[in-house]
């Protein structure tokens, strides 16, 4: 019930209803809404305009504020998440406090979702009326301003994380780069060549990796994970857990003698980095170019940890450098950073989920990532493309869209598979002269130089069969098929079912969110799409921002991307972080709560309810006191406060009650 | 059931999940009935039971509170607090002659635009079945309504 | 100048408020000295016609207690309003509807049916049902007041200048109020003549509150003998002190009984029950639906618990008739 | 455990040994069967091809009779019947017009059917109702050393994958493993056995059949085990012709799943209908002994 005496100097409201071209006008009778608004209490002027967010549109508002002495502004257009900020600035430019503004969402919530015009118009009217009733109670506010910590946290040491970290470090900002694996490099480190230019991944990645290690502004934390995040934009407090690698980074010179010295004379455990195609010892570096070049001891397989008895060849080999320390314990670091860039990447689709492709059943069915290792000069076969039984494949089938564009598994296109399949086809053709068959649904080669690469492959006589493969099996229908893998597919261009016998099958597995993406999302308090990709604030206008200010996205954690796109996005994220830091301070929505001592019961219910410990009890005055700096503006104390002493700016009881009454009136 | 009865429903949506789901429904051009009029709060934990009672007093036939899934709350546990309050409020409503089904609490994440549409369509239908909620005030008796 | 004219009247109330006036004890004498009581059915033999005989606004202040349930009460309230400069809603029934207000959880028919048909105490003629017009043997038709369907607060019937809360109001508050008025020190119209702060502020158990005021279980008064020192709410008893206006000096709590809210809400609150409910639900320390349901099951009558004194003044003041469906 | 039993016609003809084994196994496991009184043709094959409504009416009658017994489940060992009855449930639910015809037909003989009767498969019952652990505890003769090919055929999961994965069913694999047998990877496990084609379009039917047998032998299987009596019959009875036709010895003993379970439960083979088999499994079964005593 709006009690008049709360109303400051008689309101003079200007209402601006936006056509948004036809986005709104096509469904909502804008003229009618404007007419209706013009008769609402305290409304001095109501206008419609094609694009209120355009310069002339905003000018219109400023002019009215000055000439008609408006002291309240309402814009009925799109979502406040899109333009509330814009119009607050307009309101301010017009000469009144920016918070004397209220936005009405008649596009996302009305015109775009409502079939019937009359209904849409009625709904728009109701929402506008609600805003008019609400804005009457708006108060003059000032945004809360806080200093920003100049450091940045980058999570994930793949190419995106590396690039973001270097960009920031080169701008003289201190960066903490956290990577959970023993080395940075991510997926790119596993690749041999990169499409479409075929330059060697290691050649372009390794310099960046060493640059990270060498950079004075980068603190590299490998074999580490972020375990807690709190605080807010500009002032995040982050807890990082460092797993013990039992080799002290500061003492190790990277000579790798210890690995030679290990009691196990030869590597016997499947190497994670080589996806099991190669072997490693209990003490190992994932790959020769690893950064940092510091071995890790795997407690699972190290005989000392297992039996407690070991001659400790590694320790002997290390000698007086004494870098090896079996007593190393897990370490927990507390970091303070102003911005966070998430570059946590992707995982490849588990081909085992599609049993009819025979992955795991037939040894000569590989995933594309495994083949990346096979063709890689520093890979388990030294770049020799040979089957598990040592034979050289004469016929190779590459099946596209495994775990992509598939209702059974993942519906999205993974964007990179067509191109890396072409790349692998080329490399295999080049090195083995084998017949290579690509089985595709559609060839998607929209990038720079991509289509040309496709043409090149066609010229190289690589076969392309259009059709989704039905099954891969090992039984022969005719003698020629004996001992081969048979790819059964409907060739949709000639309309017949075919059986293609091959020696090697490569499954071009799609990209999907990391297995722990959901936990990471919660940890950093951001949202994600239904598929599990981290959600950008706006698909077009804020592609690297999240809904949590100060947390930015880079690379495949936001969706499938190729290397150039990941790098570009990483640069963008770094720029956003820089903008935030160099401004030096953040202005926060002044939607914090406060407690009116005059009415406070001193019951202290709010103290326990506040998730951010922003409220304490002042025993002297017997009232609760709220620390505005800690308050994040959820308003749960307001809802609970039995005496009405707790209130929240921008969401005052008066404002909400008036709004509810408005939408119903 | 009165066929042409269109329920008046107030949506109280949290800024981070359900309100964004409604935005996404818009950008995805999904269609749903126009009955729900949305009032935005930062968190479902801000939804004061008074506000819900007020909505019913002002003539709402239903109230739809939307928040983030458990574990996803932007403010850690605001949604749990909303859950507790609404659970107890639903225990009170029948005594005031209001079917508890008229108050609905849903967890709808920013990505679940399709669920939002489904919930709204379903809730509308549910309220249509219940029929209009006559605001309990017998106005003619209230010669004098206090300010 | 003549002494200020004062009137007292009772509507739907238990009589406790009248007692409260009498409870002024020896303090009543100076009051009586100071004023000229022109109407007080409980104590003095004046009749309605005497009031009607007065000129409009002849009475300086009328203290009306009790809620409005009968046509007669409505008429008298309007009459007194007409004849008085100031009207004070005296006691919680007049202020918020009070205990009689809980009748709004049912309706006229159900009440009459129960009282005259089903009540176990019912002895005699089951056909008896109060009539508004009764033909008397000797002098024609006797008219009895109409029994309304709804219980209303005084200010839902007439314009009220001040409110004195309490069930019943404390003599001390009454005295202060009366003296203020007599001295002509008039607070702003509509004021509640009691402290602006909550009961907890005057409750010495407030200091005993734990670090986190959260409860794992709700207890009912008959289930436990609460510790006489610690906050009752912290002990799981539904003490509504945090939501209730102070002024009573936490009488009930001193008697080791939880506050039931008779002084009504604090100024910023729109709906006492809704807010009290929110408080209780908020501080139950569980995220487990099952636990919560078991806990809330300990509140078998939420309306009676949270709206005990204030239903007619609530946002939803009366049970909705579900004649739809 | 007790089930209403729908034998179907084949199992009383070409599949008698299957039924004998089935009865023996169920008796051993204490699973009771009550034959559906007055059951009739399941409607598959010929009817299905000629006159759909009558086919569904026929099938529905059996389901209706089950419902009349107050039972919710109907068990049939025959894959053909299994599919026909399943399909009936599905079609009655999907196509109101058809359903109406069928219901009228049923009404004419004073029957009604609410579509609620579940049709159960032998493997489903053994794996999911009786349970593998329980079954394992009953095994007296582990099939160790026996390399078996589990052959599911088509009707087992297509088009209704009610209790197993449509792409690569595994329930029979697990069943055989729990009996101690070594299951041979066999990607043709759901490929067509040729069905009645062998009798109609020889070269096609034989070829399909040949591929299955040949691949089984190539994988050094001792035994092919089928979940369908008709597949069993089909795979077994043409082995001479096929060997001749393709100049390759494809002889390999082929048993119905119940027979193999029977062996593992130590049921004397005369109760398992072995005498009706065309290709003797004895040499294969010899292998078990060796392992057992070795």
């Amino acid at each position: 019930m709006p009690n008049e005496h709360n109303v400051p100097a008689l309101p003079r409201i200007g209402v601006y209803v936006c056509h948004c071209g036809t986005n709104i006008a096509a469904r909502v009778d804008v003229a009618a809404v404007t007419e209706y608004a013009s008769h609402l209490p305290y409304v001095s002027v109501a206008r419609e305009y094609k694009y209120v967010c355009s310069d002339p549109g905003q000018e219109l508002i400023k002019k009215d504020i000055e000439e008609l002495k408006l002291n309240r502004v309402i814009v009925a257009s799109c979502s406040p998440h899109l333009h509330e900020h814009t119009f607050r600035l307009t309101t301010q430019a017009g000469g009144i406090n920016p918070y004397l503004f209220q936005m009405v969402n008649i596009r996302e919530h009305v015109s775009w979702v409502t079939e019937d015009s009359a209904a849409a118009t009625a709904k728009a009217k109701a929402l506008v009326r609600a805003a008019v009733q609400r804005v009457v109670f708006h108060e003059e506010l000032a945004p809360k301003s806080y200093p920003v910590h100049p450091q940045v946290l980058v999570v994930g040491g793949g190419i995106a994380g590396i690039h973001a970290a270097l960009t920031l470090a080169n701008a003289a900002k201190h960066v903490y780069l956290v990577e959970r694996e023993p080395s940075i490099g991510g997926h790119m480190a596993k690749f041999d060549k990169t499409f479409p230019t075929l330059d060697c991944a290691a050649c372009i990645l390794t310099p960046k990796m060493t640059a990270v290690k060498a950079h004075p502004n980068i603190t590299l934390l490998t074999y580490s994970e972020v375990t807690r995040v709190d605080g807010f934009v500009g002032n995040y407090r982050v807890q990082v857990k460092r797993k013990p690698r039992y080799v002290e980074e500061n003492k190790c010179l990277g000579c790798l003698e210890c690995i030679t010295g290990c009691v196990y004379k030869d590597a016997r455990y499947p190497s994670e980095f080589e996806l099991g195609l190669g072997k490693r010892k209990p003490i190992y570096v994932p790959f020769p170019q690893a950064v940092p070049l510091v071995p890790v001891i795997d407690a699972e397989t190290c005989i000392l940890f297992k039996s407690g008895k070991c001659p400790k060849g590694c320790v002997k080999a290390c000698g007086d450098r004494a870098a090896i320390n079996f007593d190393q314990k897990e370490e927990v670091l507390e970091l303070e950073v102003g911005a966070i860039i998430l570059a946590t990447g992707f995982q490849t689709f588990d081909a085992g989920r599609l049993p009819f492709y025979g992955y795991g059943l037939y040894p000569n069915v590989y995933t594309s990532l495994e083949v990346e290792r096979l063709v890689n000069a520093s890979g388990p076969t030294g770049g020799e493309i040979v089957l598990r039984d040592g034979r050289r494949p004469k016929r190779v089938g590459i099946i596209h869209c495994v775990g992509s564009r598939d209702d059974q598994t993942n519906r999205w296109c993974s964007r990179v598979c067509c191109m890396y399949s072409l790349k692998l086809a080329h490399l295999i053709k080049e090195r083995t002269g084998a017949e290579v068959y690509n089985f595709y649904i559609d060839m998607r080669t929209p990038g720079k130089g991509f289509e040309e690469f496709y043409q090149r492959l066609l010229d190289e006589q690589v076969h392309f069969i259009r059709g989704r493969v039905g099954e891969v099996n090992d039984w022969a229908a005719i003698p020629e098929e004996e001992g081969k893998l048979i790819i059964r597919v409907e060739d949709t261009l000639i309309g017949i079912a075919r059986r293609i016998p091959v020696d090697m099958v490569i499954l071009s597995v799609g990209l999907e969110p990391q297995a722990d993406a959901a936990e990471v999302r919660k940890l950093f308090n951001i949202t994600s799409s239904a598929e599990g990709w981290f959600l950008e604030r706006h698909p077009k206008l804020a592609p690297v921002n999240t809904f949590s200010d100060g947390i930015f996205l880079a690379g495949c954690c936001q969706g499938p991307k190729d290397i150039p796109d990941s790098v570009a996005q990483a640069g963008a994220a770094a720029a956003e972080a820089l903008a935030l830091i160099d401004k030096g301070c953040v202005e926060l929505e002044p939607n914090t709560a406060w407690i009116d001592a005059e009415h406070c019961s001193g019951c202290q219910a709010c103290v326990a309810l506040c998730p951010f410990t922003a409220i304490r009890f002042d025993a002297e005055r017997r009232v609760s006191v709220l620390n505005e700096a800690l308050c994040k503006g959820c308003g749960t104390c307001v809802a609970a406060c039995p005496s009405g002493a707790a209130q929240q700016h921008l969401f005052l009881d008066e404002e909400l009650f008036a709004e509810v009454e408005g939408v119903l009136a | 059931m009165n066929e042409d009865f269109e329920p008046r429903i107030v949506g109280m949506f949290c800024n981070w999940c359900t309100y964004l789901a409604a935005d996404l429904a818009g950008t995805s051009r999904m269609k749903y009935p126009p009955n729900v009029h949305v009032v935005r709060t930062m968190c479902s934990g801000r939804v004061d039971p008074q506000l819900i009672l007020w909505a019913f007093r002002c003539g709402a036939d239903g109230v739809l509170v939307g928040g983030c899934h458990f574990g996803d709350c932007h403010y850690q546990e605001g949604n749990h607090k909303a859950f507790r309050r609404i659970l107890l409020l639903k225990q009170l409503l029948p005594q005031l002659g209001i079917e508890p089904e008229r108050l609905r609490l849903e967890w709808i994440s920013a990505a679940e635009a399709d669920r939002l549409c489904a919930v709204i369509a379903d809730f509308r239908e549910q309220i249509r079945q219940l029929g209009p909620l006559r605001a309990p005030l017998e106005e003619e008796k209230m010669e004098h309504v206090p300010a | 100048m003549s002494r200020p004219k004062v009137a007292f009247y009772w509507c739907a109330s238990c009589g406790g408020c009248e007692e409260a006036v009498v409870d002024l004890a020896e303090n009543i004498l100076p009051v009586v000295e100071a004023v000229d009581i022109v109407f007080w059915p409980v104590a003095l033999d004046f009749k309605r016609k005497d009031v009607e005989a007065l000129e409009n606004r002849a009475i300086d202040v009328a203290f009306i207690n009790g809620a409005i349930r009968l046509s007669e009460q409505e008429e008298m309230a309007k009459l007194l309003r007409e004849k008085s400069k100031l009207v004070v809603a005296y006691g919680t029934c007049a202020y918020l509807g009070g205990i009689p207000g809980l009748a709004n959880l049912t309706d006229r028919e159900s009440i009459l049916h129960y009282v005259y048909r089903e009540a176990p105490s019912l002895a005699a003629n089951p056909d008896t049902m109060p009539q508004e017009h009764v033909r008397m043997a000797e002098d024609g038709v006797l008219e009895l007041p109409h029994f309304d369907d709804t219980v209303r607060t005084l200010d839902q019937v007439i314009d009220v200048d001040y409110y004195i809360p309490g069930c019943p109001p404390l003599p001390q508050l009454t005295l202060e109020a009366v003296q203020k008025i007599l001295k002509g020190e008039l607070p702003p119209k509509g004021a509640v003549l009691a402290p602006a702060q909550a009961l907890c502020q005057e409750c010495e158990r407030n200091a005993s509150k734990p670090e986190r005021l959260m409860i794992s279980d709700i207890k009912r008064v008959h289930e436990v003998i609460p510790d006489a020192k610690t906050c009752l709410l912290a002990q799981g008893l539904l003490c509504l002190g945090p939501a209730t206006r102070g002024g009573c000096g936490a009488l009930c709590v001193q008697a080791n009984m939880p506050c039931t809210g008779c002084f009504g809400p604090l100024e910023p609150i729109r709906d006492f029950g809704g807010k009290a409910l929110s408080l209780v639900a908020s501080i139950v320390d569980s995220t487990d639906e099952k636990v919560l349901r078991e806990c809330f099951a300990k509140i078998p009558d939420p309306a009676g618990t949270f709206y005990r004194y204030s239903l007619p003044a609530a946002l939803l003041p009366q049970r909705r008739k579900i004649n739809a469906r | 455990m007790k089930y209403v039993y729908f034998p179907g016609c084949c199992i009383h003809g070409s599949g008698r040994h299957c039924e004998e084994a089935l009865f023996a196994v169920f008796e051993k496991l204490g699973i009771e069967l009550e034959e559906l009184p007055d059951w009739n043709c399941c409607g598959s094959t010929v009817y299905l091809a000629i006159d759909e409504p009558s086919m569904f009416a026929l099938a529905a009658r059996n389901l209706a009779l089950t419902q009349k017994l107050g039972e919710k489940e109907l068990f049939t060992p025959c894959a053909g019947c299994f599919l026909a009855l399943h399909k009936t449930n599905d079609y009655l639910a999907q196509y109101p017009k058809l359903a109406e015809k069928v219901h009228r037909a049923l009404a004419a003989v004073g029957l009604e059917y609410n579509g609620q009767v579940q049709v159960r498969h032998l493997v489903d019952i053994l794996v999911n109702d009786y349970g593998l652990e329980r079954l394992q505890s009953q095994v007296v003769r582990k099939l160790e050393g026996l390399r078996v090919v589990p052959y599911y055929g088509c009707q087992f999961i297509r088009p209704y994958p009610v209790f197993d994965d449509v792409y690569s069913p595994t329930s029979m694999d697990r069943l055989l493993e729990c009996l101690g047998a070594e299951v041979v990877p066999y990607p043709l496990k759901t490929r067509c056995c040729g069905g009645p084609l062998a009798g109609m379009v020889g070269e096609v039917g034989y070829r399909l059949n040949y591929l299955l047998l040949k691949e089984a032998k190539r994988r050094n299987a001792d035994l092919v085990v089928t979940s369908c009596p008709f597949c069993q019959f089909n795979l077994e009875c043409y082995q001479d012709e096929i060997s001749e036709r393709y100049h390759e010895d494809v002889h390999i003993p082929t048993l119905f799943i119940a027979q193999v379970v029977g062996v593992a439960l130590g049921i004397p083979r005369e109760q398992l209908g072995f005498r009706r088999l065309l290709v003797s499994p004895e040499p294969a079964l010899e292998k078990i002994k060796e392992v057992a005593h070795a």
Side-chain angles (χ1 to χ4, degrees), chain A residues 79-81 105 108-109 112-113 123 521-522 525 530 547 609 633-636 639 648 651 653 657 663-664, chain B residues 8 15-16 19 22-23 26 29-32 36-37 40 42 45-46 54-55 71-72 74-76 81 85 111:
Chain A
S79 168
H81 284 281
N105 186 345
E108 283 82 349
H109 287 195
W112 278 348
V113 294
K123 185 175 178 183
R521 177 177 66 75
K522 285 178 187 172
N525 205 346
F547 283 100
L609 287 175
C634 64
T636 195
Q648 180 186 15
F651 297 90
D653 276 350
F657 277 75
V663 294
L664 289 165
Chain B
R8 298 200 295 168
N15 180 66
W16 302 102
Y19 192 92
D23 277 4
R29 307 300 199 278
M30 299 174 175
K31 298 284 180 279
Y32 58 82
V36 176
H37 294 181
R40 183 173 63 113
M42 292 311 287
R46 170 66 179 91
W54 174 244
D72 288 2
H74 194 78
Y75 305 99
Q76 296 177 17
K81 286 150 194 165
R85 292 168 186 143

Side-chain angles (χ1 to χ4, degrees), chain C residues 244-318:
Chain C
T244 309
R245 187 185 289 271
C248 66
L251 276 176
C252 299
V253 182
Q254 284 175 30
N256 216 13
M257 287 295 283
C259 168
T260 52
C262 77
F263 267 53
L266 290 123
E267 188 270 334
I269 299 302
R270 291 166 171 74
D271 187 276
F272 182 89
K275 213 61 217 240
L277 176 147
S278 185
L279 168 74
V280 171
S282 300
I283 65 170
V284 175
D285 197 1
S286 172
T287 54
D288 176 341
E289 176 167 1
K290 197 170 147 293
V291 175
L292 289 167
R293 287 189 183 281
E294 284 164 6
C295 198
F296 293 157
K298 296 287 203 66
I299 312 177
D301 175 15
T305 308
F306 299 117
Y307 287 112
R308 180 171 300 182
Y309 303 95
S310 62
L311 188 56
L315 289 174
L316 301 174
Q318 184 176 28

Side-chain angles (χ1 to χ4, degrees), chain D residues 236-283:
Chain D
E236 187 184 35
C237 73
Y238 298 107
Q239 293 188 0
D240 296 343
E241 287 90 325
I242 292 172
S243 300
E244 207 169 299
R245 189 183 265 262
Y246 297 94
H247 319 294
E248 180 178 348
D249 173 19
V250 294
H251 285 91
I252 181 168
T254 307
L255 299 185
F256 180 57
I257 181 71
Q259 296 180 290
V260 182
V261 176
V263 172
L265 295 178
I267 298 171
R269 43 203 60 180
E270 44 281 5
Q271 295 178 34
L272 296 174
F274 276 25
R275 65 196 167 84
R276 301 185 196 276
L277 291 170
L278 304 175
V279 181
S280 162
E282 295 309 338

Side-chain angles (χ1 to χ4, degrees), chain D residues 3-197:
Chain D
Y3 296 91
V4 184
Y5 177 55
F6 181 86
C9 55
C10 300
I11 207 148
H12 283 164
S14 57
R16 278 165 68 188
H17 52 298
C18 301
E19 190 176 49
E20 288 166 14
L22 171 72
F23 286 166
V25 166
F26 272 25
E27 191 184 357
K28 184 90 176 176
L29 297 178
I31 303 174
E32 293 176 55
L33 290 179
E34 174 196 1
E35 183 160 337
L36 179 66
D38 191 31
W39 60 272
N40 57 257
C41 170
C42 74
S44 64
T45 62
V46 191
Y47 265 111
L48 183 49
I50 301 166
D51 175 3
E52 275 202 329
S54 342
M55 174 263 169
F56 288 113
L58 276 169
R61 180 172 179 277
N62 295 315
L63 295 164
L65 287 172
T66 315
Q67 177 182 328
K68 199 167 155 202
L69 290 180
E71 295 292 339
K72 290 222 167 330
E73 292 186 328
L74 180 59
F75 160 62
T76 175
C78 169
C81 306
F82 178 73
L83 176 57
L85 294 168
H86 246 297
K87 187 172 181 176
T88 307
N89 272 338
D90 179 37
Y91 275 41
L92 290 184
Q94 266 193 62
Y95 307 107
K97 280 212 184 64
L98 173 72
E100 194 217 332
K101 278 196 194 147
V102 171
H103 289 310
R104 236 187 287 118
L106 290 177
V109 291
L111 285 173
E112 56 176 355
Y113 179 51
N114 56 13
Q116 293 309 307
V117 172
Q118 289 305 314
V119 188
R120 302 298 304 277
H121 191 286
L122 172 57
V123 175
D124 184 11
I125 286 176
L126 288 177
V127 174
N128 300 319
D129 291 11
Y130 192 82
L132 291 181
E133 286 183 5
R134 201 161 145 214
L135 184 61
Q136 198 157 23
S137 67
Q138 301 294 316
V139 171
V140 299
R141 188 168 174 217
K142 297 196 88 200
L143 304 183
E144 268 164 19
L146 199 61
R147 290 177 54 83
V148 296
V149 154
Y151 176 71
Y152 294 76
C154 53
Q155 300 170 319
F156 182 83
I157 35 129
R158 289 202 301 271
Y160 302 112
V162 265
F163 62 93
D164 208 335
D165 180 75
V166 67
Y167 293 115
S168 63
T170 57
S171 42
M172 197 157 56
D173 298 45
R174 287 179 277 128
L175 177 50
L176 289 165
E177 273 161 7
C178 106
L179 302 179
E182 178 186 349
V183 174
V184 178
Y186 190 66
L188 303 84
K189 53 168 72 159
T190 63
R191 239 183 104 79
C192 177
C193 71
L197 281 174

